Amino acid sequence: VDEANQDENLAAKVKQIAAEAEVVATQIYGQGMDVREQQDRAWAEETTSIFDLEQLEIEAEQRGEEVPWANPDMQHIVPGFDADGKMSIGGS
């Protein structure tokens, strides 16, 4: 079997799966937003913004506390994410 043909078939299957996953995710969660749209939505819905988080971080530092997202020991990292904030998906 031609190795290049296998690579093309695999690439085509991956693209098809990605396209289907995007359709499903959009159906479940709605259309994606860019950073500005997310910030505008947080403002309009009066939810926590990056500025609120910054203020919480400053206040915690003033009290001698650490916020979970600034913990150098990585004890409060969300499961599935590495120290750089990248999500680990699938096998190694």
Side-chain angles (χ1 to χ4, degrees), residues 20-33 38 41 45 87:
E20 291 174 7
E22 183 176 357
V23 169
V24 170
T26 301
Q27 288 174 345
I28 294 171
Y29 300 108
Q31 195 65 28
M33 295 182 283
Q38 290 174 354
R41 180 179 175 187
E45 294 179 3
M87 181 178 227

Side-chain angles (χ1 to χ4, degrees), residues 1-80:
V1 180
D2 184 14
E3 188 173 318
N5 192 28
Q6 282 182 338
D7 289 344
E8 288 176 18
N9 289 339
L10 177 61
K13 287 181 182 180
V14 168
K15 287 180 183 180
Q16 179 183 2
I17 291 168
E20 291 174 7
E22 183 176 357
V23 169
V24 170
T26 301
Q27 288 174 345
I28 294 171
Y29 300 108
Q31 195 65 28
M33 295 182 283
D34 65 21
V35 174
R36 165 126 3 237
E37 291 170 325
Q38 290 174 354
Q39 185 63 33
D40 289 346
R41 180 179 175 187
W43 177 264
E45 294 179 3
E46 299 180 5
T47 59
T48 303
S49 73
I50 59 169
F51 305 108
D52 295 332
L53 295 175
E54 178 187 33
Q55 186 60 39
L56 289 172
E57 187 171 351
I58 291 169
E59 290 171 5
E61 288 175 356
Q62 289 173 347
R63 292 189 307 266
E65 300 171 358
E66 287 185 340
V67 290
W69 60 88
N71 185 342
D73 297 330
M74 309 301 289
Q75 294 173 356
H76 296 93
I77 294 298
V78 176

